[in-house]
Amino acid sequence: MTDTTGTRTDHAADHAADNATDSTTDNATGHAPAPGPGYPAHWEADVVASDGGIVHLRPVLPSDADALLRFHASLSERTRYLRYFGPYPYVSPRDLERFSVVDHHNRVAFICLLGGEIIAVGRYEGIPGPDGKVESAEVAFVARDSHQGRGLGSILLEHLAAAARENGLRRFEAEVLVENRAMVRVFRDAGYQVSREFAEGVLHLEFDIDPTERSLAVRDSREQRAEARSVHNALHPSSVAVIGASTDPSKIGHAILANLLGGNFTGPVYPVHPEARSVRGVRAYASVTDIPDEVDLAVVAVPAAGLDDVLGSCFAKGVTTLVVVSAGFAETGPEGVLAERRLVTAARAHGMRVIGPNALGVANTATEVRLNATLAPDLPGRGRIGFFAQSGALGIAILSAARKRGLGLSTFVSAGNRADLSGNDMLQYWQTDPATEMVLLYLETFGNPRKFARLARRLARTKPVVAVKSGRHTRPVAGLAAHTEPVDDASVRALFEQAGVIRVDTLAELFDTALLLSHQPLPAGARVAVVGNSTALGVLVADALVGEGMRLAGDPADIGVTASPEEFGAAVTAALAADDVRPGADALVAVFVPPVATPGNAYARALREAAAGVQASADKPVVAVFFAAEGVPAELAVLDEDGTPVRGSVPAYASPERAAAALARVSRYAAWRAEPAGDFTPPPGIETDAARELVARLQSGSDDAADEEPSVDGRVLDDEAATALLACYGITLVESRRVAGADATVAAAEEFGYPVAIKAVGPRWRHRTDQLGIRLDVVTPAGARRAFTDLTQLSGHAEVEVQRMAAKGVACVLEIVEDPSFGSLLSFGLAGTATALLGDHAFRVVPVSDRDAAALVRAPRAAPLLDGYRGAEPTDLAAMEELVRRVGKLAEDLPEVRGLTLDPVLATPTGVSVVGARVLLGAPPRRDDPGPRRMR
């Protein structure tokens, strides 16, 4: 693809603008040299190109002039012609100054850097309208010939559009030569609605730059392909260098080299040692730059203090991925944190990915790769599981446990401190990796939880994702990852539930679940049959299943201790079979204790054969509880050519409880996956633009709408402003009015119609469980006067609030709450002291689909009160779900809303009534996921 386009402005000026980059760029990092005030540093980003390489993008600076000239000189005549519509051999000083000096508002330019050199430039220049207001801009970009085809034009367009929207612009225009088909495709495929006009061989294009559903889908698709390619490059190297390969068997550099050689890596392996001529019989090189061939992957096993020299040689050699197994970085304290940041910044500036530091390594069991660049001498066999472990220390134990249980891996990555490559990158890779059918995650922290939710939700639709999230009750150790904010466990639970991730609490549960998913089909329902040779054991299994929320398909079948293997197999087949009377079980647990002096091998083979016979025509998983057996015993295994258990093997568990828990987790996942994907289309009647304008006015202070309630996090809106903001999202509060004087109170009550509620003014009196500051069901003028007198004396205010009485219903509370990692969460629960005391609230991460909303209102333990508990008339759950979706859309659109409480929301059989609302506005939090593509 030729990343070039022209505009209709003076082409000489265009040439200069698009050649604007960095003459004094820090060659080690590519970052801007001490920009002055007004420089939008938040626009800087590292991005992944379509080939998996990294480029650094930042706004142009006046000091970039010389680098711009070098960039222009590097362009071919053809590229200059396509960009500038004619020859443009040099840049005049006037044009160079004009386009290297921008205001970052109406005139914006970005440069893409690699190794301190400019490889692409994009810019827009505002077009004043008849009233002088700038709402449109001409956009243009160009890439160096050797970097065309890497998707840099699309990346620049995304970032230019985001900057323009931030500056209040609405449209882009561009002029492109008709023969420049590649650039026409950049605009056409970006997901915007592009209008075209043609004249004299030039296409004039115009399009609105507000994100559309299609443009966001295009962005996400390109991001997935690029990040997946980046990981693919790391896991499919054609050659590997071990920097720090040691002749001492006790050193990690020796272990890495030994494991690479012992694993029969299909490409060349190059030991790098400053003095040794060879290591383990393989010729060694003093520096990676001395290696005569290309090096794709470098495993670094030198002390942290010596890494700067290693980086320089890897940059020069063109290494694409570093696996840093060395320790001594963020885990050691503040100085280590700074060293780790310098490592990643320098690596990205030169287009490299970093796995680690403090990592165990990476592995790929594919026969065409056979990569074991880890510290683990024995990997599990080849299989269909992708495994990401954040912990390097636990990595060897994790791999050993997987091997013992008969779990085969496709790929394994231990990211250690996760300074660069993260679990999100791996999810992107596994999404389209044909060798991976299931994903296992061991997580300690989240780098970008919102992105994790989006990626995991998509991946789990086709491939199970099982995750252990450690630190449920403790704060993460500072420095062990780029992001160390504490994450509330309720937030993690909500994220996993929405995304379809199977959450487990321990590594043992992780492997128990993985065994079942690896070897058996997903169940179609929750009906489970139990077959065994002991009534007592059958009852234990049945109790465990019911305790996990499963349903029994009849009483446990006891075949007796004298039954033959054939009878055992027949009982299994009969329990799973359907007939005219019953549908048959969806799954089966076989519990068996070998009789005295009778070997159990024949019974195990009978079970495996019976399961295979049933599964030939129906997806019905079978698990075994063979006491003292765990994993996949040989008699229960179906082996591939490598001797690794594959699908059709029957997993065995050492206790009924573990078998029941694994089956229940997989059943819940199967039910989630069988349901249609949620619809994120918002309810009708939402006026997002009006809401944003209102918030802007409120934050600018032009509207005096602050309540008297103090808040350190922002300003609490008064009732009028809160009502107006909620109305933009179709949320109507029960009508109320603040009045002064007994006569005005009576007048308001009569206007609304009795009965009314009369409330004391002031935050102290709101939402009290004793209802001291409210008088309900006031039905007479005398009662209204009495309420006014009582409440003004109580509150010390001269006013009261009169509100129309809502229909009686079940009181609920719906809130937007802030999580330091996840951003906005929706919280729902029934109102009341008991609910608050027991913490009976459910959470969902924004954005919420219709399915998320339905699950949220049914998740609290007290939710049956909404659905006809003990003969009561059911409330209108659909109306409550719609309210949840409206609040979710508000939270998604308006990050400035740092808190929202609708309390109470009265649920009735005919709808819902929002009686009270509290809205807190503040500075919007950082959100890592929306906007143009960028690495964290």
Side-chain angles (χ1 to χ4, degrees):
M1 181 181 72
T2 305
D3 295 330
T4 57
T5 183
T7 69
R8 68 186 180 191
T9 56
D10 172 45
H11 289 301
D14 290 347
H15 309 331
D18 291 340
N19 289 323
T21 38
D22 173 8
S23 62
T24 59
T25 294
D26 183 342
N27 287 331
T29 67
H31 286 250
Y39 176 82
H42 64 286
W43 288 353
E44 291 199 26
D46 294 316
V47 293
V48 185
S50 61
D51 61 356
I54 312 302
V55 298
H56 182 69
L57 179 148
R58 67 165 174 82
V60 74
L61 288 168
S63 56
D64 295 329
D66 289 346
L68 283 168
L69 292 176
R70 294 196 301 272
F71 170 74
H72 182 78
S74 72
L75 301 178
S76 67
E77 292 184 3
R78 176 65 176 172
T79 293
R80 292 177 189 169
Y81 167 74
L82 291 175
R83 169 59 188 88
Y84 306 121
F85 299 10
Y88 192 75
Y90 66 92
V91 181
S92 70
R94 181 180 65 83
D95 290 341
L96 184 60
E97 178 180 2
R98 179 186 174 195
F99 290 103
S100 61
V101 180
V102 296
D103 61 12
H104 305 301
H105 192 275
N106 291 335
R107 299 176 56 245
V108 170
F110 285 115
I111 55 176
C112 291
L113 295 151
L114 180 62
E117 286 296 320
I118 297 171
I119 60 172
V121 181
R123 71 175 183 88
Y124 76 70
E125 181 147 355
I127 305 171
D131 58 356
K133 187 176 180 180
V134 176
E135 292 188 339
S136 297
E138 295 188 20
V139 63
F141 32 88
V142 62
R144 186 176 292 186
D145 293 66
S146 58
H147 291 274
Q148 293 173 10
R150 302 184 67 200
L152 300 182
S154 300
I155 290 170
L156 284 165
L157 180 59
E158 285 182 25
H159 285 262
L160 287 167
R165 290 193 299 269
E166 183 179 324
N167 288 329
L169 278 68
R170 306 297 296 271
R171 289 179 68 80
F172 272 170
E173 301 179 14
E175 290 195 348
V176 185
L177 290 173
V178 172
E179 61 195 277
N180 193 354
R181 296 182 181 89
M183 185 48 55
V184 174
R185 284 198 301 272
V186 170
F187 289 110
R188 184 192 65 197
D189 297 343
Y192 300 108
Q193 189 66 37
V194 180
S195 64
R196 309 180 187 186
E197 293 181 1
F198 172 75
E200 298 180 356
V202 176
L203 277 176
H204 178 78
L205 309 174
E206 294 188 16
F207 52 95
D208 290 339
I209 57 175
D210 284 337
T212 65
E213 184 175 344
R214 182 166 176 263
S215 71
L216 294 176
V218 168
R219 178 204 66 181
D220 292 347
S221 176
R222 287 172 172 166
E223 176 191 64
Q224 188 276 325
R225 292 196 300 270
E227 293 180 359
R229 184 65 191 180
S230 180
V231 176
H232 181 276
N233 294 343
L235 293 175
H236 294 77
S238 60
S239 58
V240 179
V242 181
I243 303 174
S246 176
T247 57
D248 184 349
S250 66
K251 301 295 186 181
I252 61 174
H254 184 279
I256 292 284
L257 179 62
N259 294 340
L260 275 165
L261 298 175
N264 296 316
F265 175 60
T266 55
V269 178
Y270 303 106
V272 177
H273 190 286
E275 299 174 355
R277 294 184 61 186
S278 66
V279 181
R280 288 188 64 88
V282 181
R283 177 185 176 183
Y285 297 87
S287 168
V288 71
T289 55
D290 296 333
I291 297 172
D293 301 315
E294 293 184 356
V295 175
D296 294 331
L297 177 70
V299 184
V300 181
V302 300
L307 203 61
D308 287 345
D309 292 338
V310 170
L311 279 175
S313 60
C314 288
F315 298 158
K317 189 61 181 175
V319 173
T320 59
T321 307
L322 293 177
V323 177
V324 182
V325 298
S326 312
F329 290 89
E331 75 279 3
T332 64
E335 291 186 2
V337 171
L338 294 176
E340 186 170 293
R341 289 176 181 169
R342 288 196 300 270
L343 163 66
V344 173
T345 299
R348 287 180 175 178
H350 289 80
M352 292 193 300
R353 296 302 308 257
V354 175
I355 299 174
N358 201 23
L360 178 74
V362 299
N364 184 349
T365 64
T367 53
E368 67 273 17
V369 181
R370 295 198 298 271
L371 172 71
N372 181 11
T374 76
L375 293 171
D378 296 313
L379 291 178
R382 183 166 55 90
R384 314 291 291 178
I385 299 175
F387 203 146
F388 174 83
Q390 189 171 328
S391 170
L394 279 176
I396 294 178
I398 288 173
L399 291 174
S400 176
R403 182 181 179 88
K404 289 178 181 178
R405 286 169 170 80
L407 291 171
L409 300 185
S410 60
T411 45
F412 171 81
V413 172
S414 165
N417 293 6
R418 195 177 48 80
D420 178 22
L421 190 136
S422 70
N424 285 346
D425 295 295
M426 298 307 302
L427 294 182
Q428 298 277 42
Y429 171 73
W430 286 320
Q431 175 72 41
T432 51
D433 177 32
T436 300
E437 294 180 352
M438 178 175 55
V439 169
L440 303 183
L441 305 173
Y442 176 81
L443 304 173
E444 293 176 350
T445 59
F446 288 102
N448 185 341
R450 292 170 65 88
K451 183 175 180 179
F452 175 89
R454 172 168 58 87
L455 302 185
R457 187 197 296 253
R458 183 181 64 196
L459 177 59
R461 279 286 158 196
T462 56
K463 302 178 182 182
V465 180
V466 190
V468 177
K469 171 63 178 71
S470 65
R472 288 179 294 134
H473 306 298
T474 58
R475 182 185 178 94
V477 178
L480 286 185
H483 181 83
T484 56
E485 288 284 352
V487 181
D488 183 78
D489 192 59
S491 304
V492 177
R493 185 170 61 251
L495 183 151
F496 284 174
E497 288 176 359
Q498 282 179 260
V501 174
I502 303 172
R503 183 183 184 175
V504 295
D505 294 330
T506 67
L507 288 173
E509 292 177 352
L510 180 81
F511 292 124
D512 284 350
T513 308
L515 275 173
L516 180 52
L517 289 166
S518 292
H519 303 313
Q520 292 289 303
L522 295 177
R527 289 168 46 85
V528 185
V530 180
V531 174
N533 65 344
S534 167
T535 300
L537 295 179
V539 171
L540 284 177
V541 173
D543 286 345
L545 288 167
V546 173
E548 291 287 347
M550 305 297 283
R551 293 183 288 118
L552 295 177
D555 294 331
D558 181 4
I559 63 171
V561 295
T562 61
S564 66
E566 292 75 17
E567 290 173 315
F568 184 41
V572 169
T573 302
L576 288 172
D579 55 34
D580 296 336
V581 178
R582 60 187 181 88
D586 300 306
L588 180 138
V589 178
V591 56
F592 185 81
V593 177
V596 177
T598 303
N601 296 354
Y603 293 91
R605 285 192 294 271
L607 172 61
R608 186 193 68 206
E609 292 167 2
V614 172
Q615 291 166 2
S617 58
D619 289 337
K620 296 189 176 186
V622 175
V623 301
V625 179
F626 277 23
F627 285 87
E630 185 172 9
V632 184
E635 296 77 11
L636 294 175
V638 177
L639 304 177
D640 66 4
E641 61 273 15
D642 297 332
T644 301
V646 295
R647 187 162 291 276
S649 302
V650 178
Y653 299 91
S655 72
E657 293 77 15
R658 289 174 59 180
L663 190 56
R665 293 185 203 105
V666 173
S667 178
R668 288 191 291 269
Y669 167 70
W672 176 88
R673 193 161 122 172
E675 295 180 1
D679 182 4
F680 289 90
T681 304
I686 291 178
E687 300 176 358
T688 301
D689 290 341
R692 287 174 174 158
E693 291 175 4
L694 175 59
V695 167
R697 290 199 308 271
L698 293 170
Q699 289 198 309
S700 69
S702 58
D703 284 9
D704 185 16
D707 205 344
E708 66 270 23
E709 181 180 351
S711 174
V712 296
D713 298 319
R715 59 185 300 195
V716 178
L717 299 186
D718 63 22
D719 293 340
E720 182 179 354
T723 300
L725 181 60
L726 292 172
C728 295
Y729 285 85
I731 302 170
T732 303
L733 273 68
V734 175
E735 190 176 3
S736 67
R737 184 179 307 160
R738 185 177 290 196
V739 296
D743 291 341
T745 301
V746 171
E750 291 179 344
E751 181 180 339
F752 290 153
Y754 292 108
V756 295
I758 302 177
K759 305 176 183 180
V761 172
R764 178 183 176 187
W765 310 107
R766 294 179 180 175
H767 313 308
R768 292 173 61 110
T769 56
D770 60 9
Q771 296 190 338
L772 184 62
I774 186 171
R775 301 294 183 266
L776 299 175
D777 290 309
V778 177
V779 296
T780 65
R785 291 179 184 278
R786 186 164 55 251
F788 172 80
T789 302
D790 293 345
L791 294 175
T792 52
Q793 290 176 353
L794 178 70
S795 66
H797 284 267
E799 295 179 317
V800 295
E801 182 181 352
V802 182
Q803 187 170 40
R804 191 188 303 276
M805 278 295 298
K808 297 292 190 293
V810 181
C812 304
V813 180
L814 177 59
E815 297 181 279
I816 298 174
V817 296
E818 278 292 321
D819 182 279
S821 297
F822 289 77
S824 297
L825 297 176
L826 295 193
S827 168
F828 178 79
L830 273 66
T833 304
T835 294
L837 182 64
L838 297 175
D840 188 17
H841 298 278
F843 298 89
R844 286 296 181 271
V845 179
V846 173
V848 293
S849 67
D850 57 345
R851 284 188 57 204
D852 296 328
L856 179 63
V857 301
R858 292 166 175 81
R861 293 188 295 277
L865 293 172
L866 298 171
D867 199 22
Y869 183 70
R870 288 192 173 182
E873 189 174 1
T875 65
D876 188 349
L877 286 174
M880 186 66 77
E881 293 167 17
E882 181 177 323
L883 178 63
V884 168
R885 293 168 61 203
R886 291 183 182 277
V887 173
K889 180 62 174 170
L890 185 153
E892 182 183 357
D893 291 343
L894 305 176
E896 300 87 351
V897 176
R898 303 302 299 272
L900 167 66
T901 301
L902 303 184
D903 180 17
V905 178
L906 299 178
T908 72
T910 59
V912 295
S913 299
V914 180
V915 177
R918 177 184 183 271
V919 181
L920 174 66
L921 288 188
R926 187 190 73 175
R927 289 185 175 177
D928 293 326
D929 197 35
R933 285 173 280 168
R934 63 173 62 231
M935 303 173 71
R936 61 173 176 82

